[in-house]
Amino acid sequence: MRYISTRGQAPALSFEEVVLTGMASDGGLYVPEHVPELSQDELAAMAGLSYAEIAFRVMKPFVNGEIDDETFRGIVKEAYATFSHDAVVPLNQLDANHFLLELFHGPTLAFKDVALQLLGRILDHFLKKRGERAVIMGATSGDTGSAAIEGCRHCDNLDIFILHPHNRVSEVQRRQMTTVLADNVFNVAIEGNFDDAQAMVKASFADQDFLNGTRLVAVNSINWARIMAQIVYYVASAVALGAPQRKVSFCVPSANFGNVFAGYMAYRMGLPVERFVIATNANDILHRTLAANDFSKKELVATLAPSMDIVVSSNFERLLFEAYDRDGKAVDALLERFQAEPTALAEAPLSRLRKRFASHSVDDSTILEVIREAHHRTQEILDPHTATGYRAAERERGDESVPMITLATAHPAKFAEAVVKAGFPGVPLPPHMDDLLEREERYTVLPAELSAVQRFVAENRR
Ligand SMILES: *Cc1c(COP(=O)(O)O)cnc(C)c1O
């Protein structure tokens, strides 16, 4: 198994290289050269297996023997032992045929733990084997930073530097990052906004001289291993509901499209999926593209579901590559045009996408209404991201006899602001985190200057 770029110009890479690389040199994203197949028999044989064992079987072909089976099994087991629910990602039945897939039982209470608990361990394994160390740099407005820190805190060969905008992330989110007191974890509060932090990380990737040859690794959702890890829960939940004999549909609260794309990969591998419903908040580029063929940027809106606040969905490129029959030149041309001006997809790829994907956009006042309505009907308090999914699943349900699985991407305690606005007293943090607000914090405040940040990284990496 080799990995190729969606723009068709960068060299093909091995699994190990692709995990360590991030973005392709031609500006594209890496995808597997061939989609491995899960036969109906292989799917049927997964019924009743542990999540870790299903994860091992689903991901094995992507790893391509580059980690030996026993070692990889061990890595997977360790990664998912950090989840507080024995099922790792339990299914919760809401009504006759609508299910919530609870992806928020990991260390930071959002679905990004599923991928980042694994990615940190895989990176550490490859670095150890090569006798190298690496530096991770990332900018965060919330979920990704804490999940990446939790995923790397035990990694001997990695130092992680996460930049967040000073005084502009919620207290819970900041503390989830700054109370991790490991020697290889560095939190930097930037005196600026999220875009300033993001720009400094981008500039550091573009010119890495300040690290004197040490590798810089990206853990954002363009990293293939994150997609790979997310394929697993689509397979596991569908098998739990009777796949491959029975089809299911999925509804996914979406932003950068990494999560839905993983579902699409599960479908391409052979999982019987009737449809994917893409839920967006007011930042609705995915919905506008699918529903109205309006593939254009719109100004960022700050919403009650902040982890879905995006202008461009980076991973949508991976789906476009499939829709355009893996024509890297066509994808490159489309995305160049998109960067410059409002554009549209060609007819054939668009109609291909519409066969499998539906979409719905949910604004802030509707998010609050849905949190109340879902509680009234099911006794569940949904987090604001999951609320967009709940509404989209109902509106774009399709065939009612097909089970609908809505992905619950965060625990409601993590986004208490929306829950309180919806009229509830709030949601307590789960027991293993109930002392979060008393724990010791550690972080460094730096000006929004590239040289200051790079000096800090260079001096503190081990
Ligand atoms: C990151 C995130 C999303 C969006 O996921 P994508 O893979 O970027 O589409 C949705 N909900 C929550 C809670 C998140 O943290």
Side-chain angles (χ1 to χ4, degrees), residues 109-112 142-144 173 221 226-227 230 233 252-261 279 286 305-310 313-315 383-386 388 407-411 414-415:
L109 310 181
F111 86 97
K112 291 186 173 70
D143 289 352
T144 305
Q173 295 215 352
S221 66
R226 283 186 59 176
I227 307 279
Q230 292 173 180
Y233 49 72
V252 189
S254 294
N256 274 319
F257 207 75
N259 203 356
V260 208
F261 185 75
L286 291 165
S307 298
M308 290 161 60
D309 289 350
I310 45 98
S313 293
S314 51
N315 273 292
D383 100 282
H385 307 82
T386 306
T388 68
L407 274 51
T409 52
H411 190 290
K414 197 164 178 175
F415 295 97

Side-chain angles (χ1 to χ4, degrees), residues 128-193:
K128 183 173 173 203
K129 191 194 81 174
R130 298 159 80 104
E132 286 178 23
R133 304 187 52 78
V135 168
I136 289 176
M137 268 180 92
T140 191
S141 49
D143 289 352
T144 305
S146 58
I149 287 170
E150 283 289 347
C152 295
R153 64 188 296 179
H154 299 299
C155 297
D156 298 332
N157 305 291
L158 281 168
D159 296 315
I160 179 164
F161 296 81
I162 297 294
L163 281 50
H164 70 264
H166 191 34
N167 292 331
R168 295 191 200 199
V169 295
S170 74
E171 183 171 15
V172 168
Q173 295 215 352
R174 185 190 73 241
R175 286 180 161 276
Q176 283 188 312
M177 300 190 280
T178 57
T179 60
V180 177
L181 303 178
D183 288 345
N184 66 335
V185 171
F186 301 90
N187 279 288
V188 180
I190 296 292
E191 292 173 317
N193 59 28

Side-chain angles (χ1 to χ4, degrees), residues 353-364:
L353 293 183
R354 284 176 172 165
K355 284 201 181 96
R356 198 59 53 194
F357 293 90
S359 63
H360 189 77
S361 156
V362 180
D363 65 15
D364 270 6

